[in-house]
Amino acid sequence: MKLYFSPGACSFVPHSCLHQVQERTGQAFESQAVNLKEGGQRTPDFLALNPRAQVPVLQEGQNTLSQVAAICAYLHEKFPAAQLFSADPWARAQQMSGLIWMNNTVHPTFTRIFRSERFVDGDASIAALKAFSTQMFVGYLAEINAMTAKAAPFLYGNSFSPADAYALMFIRWGANIGLDPEANPAYWAYAQRLSDYSPVKQTIAKEGIIINTFKKA
Ligand SMILES: N[C@@H](CCC(=O)N[C@@H](CS)C(=O)NCC(=O)O)C(=O)O
């Protein structure tokens, strides 16, 4: 089993899951970094794995699987002892609901800030899209802040689920574009706790990332 990831990207979510699988079941995995800044996602070798030119990709023998939620669900079904989601159907559905919202709403909003030129033409339109999407992203961070205020200690109770790893990436991505993580105190406290959770801690170390990249003016 091999995960193609980019440090600090959404692939951090299945990467954290794989570390939890390894820790709880002993199942080893390989991982390979793809340099998105240098176009590693558009090389012929990578496009053969995922023609959509995106990480994450999970490779199982000759087969490949893309999409964060699908990879996490697959790992859960294959390694139930890793407890990536709850065993209770309703609790699991809540965890999945949060994960899918992050993947289909919060993440694409950030993409409109980070990759604005892919969505509109012209400097003025790009600036407008960035500004509008940043306001939306700030709103989502506040929404997650409210969720983390009730985190016990994870977003969905006493067990880690993939949505936790996604939430950690969002506060980091915000810091990357100049949004102070400490503006959402509950979220920032949760992010610091989560960074110390063993599978997440190992993933941070493996990817060589820091969570708070915010620089005060
Ligand atoms: N919905 C996709 C999103 C994947 C995605 O947006 N990946 C980004 C990194 S966070 C990527 O590979 N971007 C490459 C690019 O923008 O060229 C999933 O769940 O896997």
Side-chain angles (χ1 to χ4, degrees), residues 6 9-11 36 41-42 53-56 66-69 103 107 111 115 118 166 173:
S6 173
C10 59
S11 44
L36 299 181
Q41 72 277 41
R42 287 186 294 275
Q54 288 183 325
V55 291
S66 64
Q67 298 296 325
V68 168
N103 187 249
H107 183 164
T111 309
R115 306 277 198 196
R118 293 187 182 171
Y166 230 144
W173 295 356

mmCIF file of all heavy atoms in Angstrom, residues 6 9-11 36 41-42 53-56 66-69 103 107 111 115 118 166 173, ligand 1:
data_model
loop_
_atom_site.group_PDB
_atom_site.id
_atom_site.type_symbol
_atom_site.label_atom_id
_atom_site.label_comp_id
_atom_site.label_asym_id
_atom_site.label_seq_id
_atom_site.Cartn_x
_atom_site.Cartn_y
_atom_site.Cartn_z
ATOM 1 N N SER A 6 1.314 15.299 -0.849
ATOM 2 C CA SER A 6 2.132 16.504 -0.911
ATOM 3 C C SER A 6 2.127 17.094 0.497
ATOM 4 O O SER A 6 1.059 17.177 1.134
ATOM 5 C CB SER A 6 1.540 17.487 -1.921
ATOM 6 O OG SER A 6 2.241 18.704 -1.849
ATOM 7 N N ALA A 9 -0.817 19.223 2.225
ATOM 8 C CA ALA A 9 -2.014 19.264 1.371
ATOM 9 C C ALA A 9 -3.120 18.400 2.001
ATOM 10 O O ALA A 9 -2.955 17.833 3.086
ATOM 11 C CB ALA A 9 -1.658 18.764 -0.033
ATOM 12 N N CYS A 10 -4.246 18.277 1.284
ATOM 13 C CA CYS A 10 -5.356 17.479 1.818
ATOM 14 C C CYS A 10 -4.973 16.002 1.970
ATOM 15 O O CYS A 10 -5.639 15.264 2.714
ATOM 16 C CB CYS A 10 -6.594 17.623 0.947
ATOM 17 S SG CYS A 10 -6.322 17.111 -0.769
ATOM 18 N N SER A 11 -3.900 15.600 1.315
ATOM 19 C CA SER A 11 -3.421 14.217 1.465
ATOM 20 C C SER A 11 -2.961 13.942 2.893
ATOM 21 O O SER A 11 -2.781 12.775 3.276
ATOM 22 C CB SER A 11 -2.281 13.954 0.479
ATOM 23 O OG SER A 11 -1.370 15.036 0.451
ATOM 24 N N LEU A 36 4.005 19.497 -5.791
ATOM 25 C CA LEU A 36 2.970 20.192 -6.570
ATOM 26 C C LEU A 36 3.490 21.509 -7.135
ATOM 27 O O LEU A 36 3.091 21.927 -8.228
ATOM 28 C CB LEU A 36 1.729 20.450 -5.709
ATOM 29 C CG LEU A 36 1.003 19.217 -5.134
ATOM 30 C CD1 LEU A 36 -0.220 19.647 -4.328
ATOM 31 C CD2 LEU A 36 0.594 18.239 -6.231
ATOM 32 N N GLN A 41 2.520 16.721 -10.189
ATOM 33 C CA GLN A 41 1.194 16.103 -10.426
ATOM 34 C C GLN A 41 0.869 15.992 -11.917
ATOM 35 O O GLN A 41 -0.109 15.356 -12.291
ATOM 36 C CB GLN A 41 0.098 16.885 -9.680
ATOM 37 C CG GLN A 41 -0.263 18.248 -10.230
ATOM 38 C CD GLN A 41 0.655 19.364 -9.766
ATOM 39 O OE1 GLN A 41 1.858 19.196 -9.685
ATOM 40 N NE2 GLN A 41 0.077 20.525 -9.484
ATOM 41 N N ARG A 42 1.687 16.658 -12.749
ATOM 42 C CA ARG A 42 1.408 16.634 -14.201
ATOM 43 C C ARG A 42 2.443 15.828 -14.988
ATOM 44 O O ARG A 42 2.460 15.866 -16.205
ATOM 45 C CB ARG A 42 1.282 18.065 -14.736
ATOM 46 C CG ARG A 42 -0.035 18.737 -14.304
ATOM 47 C CD ARG A 42 -0.214 20.094 -14.946
ATOM 48 N NE ARG A 42 0.778 21.037 -14.479
ATOM 49 C CZ ARG A 42 0.670 21.760 -13.374
ATOM 50 N NH1 ARG A 42 -0.429 21.669 -12.638
ATOM 51 N NH2 ARG A 42 1.613 22.590 -13.010
ATOM 52 N N ALA A 53 -4.677 14.711 -11.937
ATOM 53 C CA ALA A 53 -3.501 15.465 -11.487
ATOM 54 C C ALA A 53 -3.639 16.009 -10.071
ATOM 55 O O ALA A 53 -3.338 17.181 -9.804
ATOM 56 C CB ALA A 53 -3.190 16.591 -12.490
ATOM 57 N N GLN A 54 -4.127 15.162 -9.182
ATOM 58 C CA GLN A 54 -4.279 15.594 -7.794
ATOM 59 C C GLN A 54 -3.791 14.505 -6.838
ATOM 60 O O GLN A 54 -3.947 13.307 -7.121
ATOM 61 C CB GLN A 54 -5.761 15.842 -7.472
ATOM 62 C CG GLN A 54 -6.338 17.082 -8.125
ATOM 63 C CD GLN A 54 -7.784 17.311 -7.724
ATOM 64 O OE1 GLN A 54 -8.544 16.356 -7.529
ATOM 65 N NE2 GLN A 54 -8.174 18.555 -7.597
ATOM 66 N N VAL A 55 -3.244 14.963 -5.704
ATOM 67 C CA VAL A 55 -3.059 14.061 -4.565
ATOM 68 C C VAL A 55 -4.294 14.233 -3.689
ATOM 69 O O VAL A 55 -4.946 15.275 -3.761
ATOM 70 C CB VAL A 55 -1.773 14.419 -3.772
ATOM 71 C CG1 VAL A 55 -0.545 14.098 -4.571
ATOM 72 C CG2 VAL A 55 -1.766 15.861 -3.294
ATOM 73 N N PRO A 56 -4.637 13.257 -2.859
ATOM 74 C CA PRO A 56 -3.949 11.998 -2.611
ATOM 75 C C PRO A 56 -4.328 10.919 -3.624
ATOM 76 O O PRO A 56 -5.417 10.957 -4.199
ATOM 77 C CB PRO A 56 -4.473 11.604 -1.223
ATOM 78 C CG PRO A 56 -5.875 12.142 -1.185
ATOM 79 C CD PRO A 56 -5.798 13.444 -1.953
ATOM 80 N N SER A 66 -8.451 7.451 -5.774
ATOM 81 C CA SER A 66 -8.312 8.883 -5.457
ATOM 82 C C SER A 66 -9.503 9.319 -4.613
ATOM 83 O O SER A 66 -10.438 8.544 -4.393
ATOM 84 C CB SER A 66 -8.228 9.712 -6.747
ATOM 85 O OG SER A 66 -9.427 9.599 -7.474
ATOM 86 N N GLN A 67 -9.467 10.563 -4.170
ATOM 87 C CA GLN A 67 -10.481 11.227 -3.342
ATOM 88 C C GLN A 67 -10.304 10.886 -1.850
ATOM 89 O O GLN A 67 -10.383 9.723 -1.437
ATOM 90 C CB GLN A 67 -11.921 10.920 -3.779
ATOM 91 C CG GLN A 67 -12.227 11.404 -5.184
ATOM 92 C CD GLN A 67 -12.146 12.920 -5.344
ATOM 93 O OE1 GLN A 67 -12.488 13.664 -4.427
ATOM 94 N NE2 GLN A 67 -11.670 13.390 -6.481
ATOM 95 N N VAL A 68 -10.100 11.960 -1.089
ATOM 96 C CA VAL A 68 -9.854 11.840 0.355
ATOM 97 C C VAL A 68 -10.895 10.949 1.038
ATOM 98 O O VAL A 68 -10.551 9.998 1.757
ATOM 99 C CB VAL A 68 -9.857 13.255 1.001
ATOM 100 C CG1 VAL A 68 -9.894 13.162 2.515
ATOM 101 C CG2 VAL A 68 -8.667 14.068 0.525
ATOM 102 N N ALA A 69 -12.175 11.248 0.822
ATOM 103 C CA ALA A 69 -13.225 10.529 1.568
ATOM 104 C C ALA A 69 -13.247 9.048 1.189
ATOM 105 O O ALA A 69 -13.443 8.177 2.047
ATOM 106 C CB ALA A 69 -14.587 11.178 1.316
ATOM 107 N N ASN A 103 -14.551 18.467 2.579
ATOM 108 C CA ASN A 103 -13.990 18.153 1.259
ATOM 109 C C ASN A 103 -14.728 18.866 0.127
ATOM 110 O O ASN A 103 -14.110 19.285 -0.860
ATOM 111 C CB ASN A 103 -14.008 16.631 1.067
ATOM 112 C CG ASN A 103 -13.285 16.190 -0.191
ATOM 113 O OD1 ASN A 103 -13.911 15.722 -1.131
ATOM 114 N ND2 ASN A 103 -11.975 16.338 -0.230
ATOM 115 N N HIS A 107 -12.785 23.059 1.507
ATOM 116 C CA HIS A 107 -11.578 22.908 0.686
ATOM 117 C C HIS A 107 -11.705 23.646 -0.671
ATOM 118 O O HIS A 107 -10.821 24.435 -1.032
ATOM 119 C CB HIS A 107 -11.284 21.403 0.512
ATOM 120 C CG HIS A 107 -10.040 21.097 -0.255
ATOM 121 N ND1 HIS A 107 -9.453 19.861 -0.243
ATOM 122 C CD2 HIS A 107 -9.273 21.851 -1.088
ATOM 123 C CE1 HIS A 107 -8.371 19.881 -1.010
ATOM 124 N NE2 HIS A 107 -8.251 21.076 -1.533
ATOM 125 N N THR A 111 -9.419 26.590 -2.395
ATOM 126 C CA THR A 111 -8.814 26.467 -3.729
ATOM 127 C C THR A 111 -9.066 27.733 -4.548
ATOM 128 O O THR A 111 -8.220 28.161 -5.337
ATOM 129 C CB THR A 111 -9.382 25.230 -4.466
ATOM 130 O OG1 THR A 111 -9.267 24.102 -3.608
ATOM 131 C CG2 THR A 111 -8.621 24.942 -5.757
ATOM 132 N N ARG A 115 -5.795 29.145 -5.859
ATOM 133 C CA ARG A 115 -5.646 28.904 -7.309
ATOM 134 C C ARG A 115 -6.683 29.702 -8.082
ATOM 135 O O ARG A 115 -7.314 29.176 -9.014
ATOM 136 C CB ARG A 115 -5.858 27.417 -7.615
ATOM 137 C CG ARG A 115 -5.000 26.450 -6.826
ATOM 138 C CD ARG A 115 -3.643 26.301 -7.436
ATOM 139 N NE ARG A 115 -2.963 25.095 -6.970
ATOM 140 C CZ ARG A 115 -1.662 24.886 -7.110
ATOM 141 N NH1 ARG A 115 -0.906 25.790 -7.698
ATOM 142 N NH2 ARG A 115 -1.119 23.772 -6.679
ATOM 143 N N ARG A 118 -7.388 29.740 -11.862
ATOM 144 C CA ARG A 118 -8.002 28.605 -12.560
ATOM 145 C C ARG A 118 -9.518 28.794 -12.734
ATOM 146 O O ARG A 118 -10.165 28.007 -13.419
ATOM 147 C CB ARG A 118 -7.771 27.316 -11.778
ATOM 148 C CG ARG A 118 -6.322 26.901 -11.746
ATOM 149 C CD ARG A 118 -6.180 25.542 -11.099
ATOM 150 N NE ARG A 118 -4.773 25.166 -11.025
ATOM 151 C CZ ARG A 118 -4.330 24.120 -10.363
ATOM 152 N NH1 ARG A 118 -5.178 23.340 -9.714
ATOM 153 N NH2 ARG A 118 -3.045 23.836 -10.348
ATOM 154 N N TYR A 166 -8.384 16.984 8.668
ATOM 155 C CA TYR A 166 -8.739 18.034 7.687
ATOM 156 C C TYR A 166 -8.809 19.401 8.399
ATOM 157 O O TYR A 166 -8.304 20.418 7.899
ATOM 158 C CB TYR A 166 -10.098 17.720 7.058
ATOM 159 C CG TYR A 166 -10.145 17.765 5.541
ATOM 160 C CD1 TYR A 166 -10.939 16.851 4.840
ATOM 161 C CD2 TYR A 166 -9.439 18.715 4.809
ATOM 162 C CE1 TYR A 166 -11.002 16.865 3.451
ATOM 163 C CE2 TYR A 166 -9.503 18.744 3.420
ATOM 164 C CZ TYR A 166 -10.278 17.823 2.750
ATOM 165 O OH TYR A 166 -10.348 17.853 1.372
ATOM 166 N N TRP A 173 -3.694 26.177 6.521
ATOM 167 C CA TRP A 173 -3.825 26.879 5.235
ATOM 168 C C TRP A 173 -4.195 28.349 5.478
ATOM 169 O O TRP A 173 -3.713 29.246 4.781
ATOM 170 C CB TRP A 173 -4.897 26.217 4.362
ATOM 171 C CG TRP A 173 -4.579 24.821 3.923
ATOM 172 C CD1 TRP A 173 -3.414 24.128 4.155
ATOM 173 C CD2 TRP A 173 -5.433 23.940 3.181
ATOM 174 N NE1 TRP A 173 -3.519 22.859 3.602
ATOM 175 C CE2 TRP A 173 -4.730 22.721 2.998
ATOM 176 C CE3 TRP A 173 -6.719 24.050 2.667
ATOM 177 C CZ2 TRP A 173 -5.285 21.630 2.318
ATOM 178 C CZ3 TRP A 173 -7.268 22.969 1.977
ATOM 179 C CH2 TRP A 173 -6.550 21.770 1.810
HETATM 180 N N1 LIG B 1 -11.642 16.288 -3.942
HETATM 181 C C1 LIG B 1 -10.255 15.932 -4.068
HETATM 182 C C2 LIG B 1 -9.401 17.158 -3.837
HETATM 183 C C3 LIG B 1 -7.945 16.875 -4.144
HETATM 184 C C4 LIG B 1 -7.123 18.146 -4.209
HETATM 185 O O1 LIG B 1 -7.650 19.272 -4.341
HETATM 186 N N2 LIG B 1 -5.797 17.987 -4.114
HETATM 187 C C5 LIG B 1 -4.908 19.108 -4.258
HETATM 188 C C6 LIG B 1 -3.997 19.225 -3.034
HETATM 189 S S1 LIG B 1 -4.896 19.680 -1.572
HETATM 190 C C7 LIG B 1 -4.012 18.895 -5.455
HETATM 191 O O2 LIG B 1 -3.513 17.806 -5.670
HETATM 192 N N3 LIG B 1 -3.793 19.938 -6.248
HETATM 193 C C8 LIG B 1 -2.962 19.858 -7.393
HETATM 194 C C9 LIG B 1 -3.112 21.082 -8.219
HETATM 195 O O3 LIG B 1 -3.853 21.970 -7.795
HETATM 196 O O4 LIG B 1 -2.491 21.196 -9.280
HETATM 197 C C10 LIG B 1 -9.930 14.836 -3.054
HETATM 198 O O5 LIG B 1 -10.709 14.642 -2.133
HETATM 199 O O6 LIG B 1 -8.930 14.123 -3.209
#
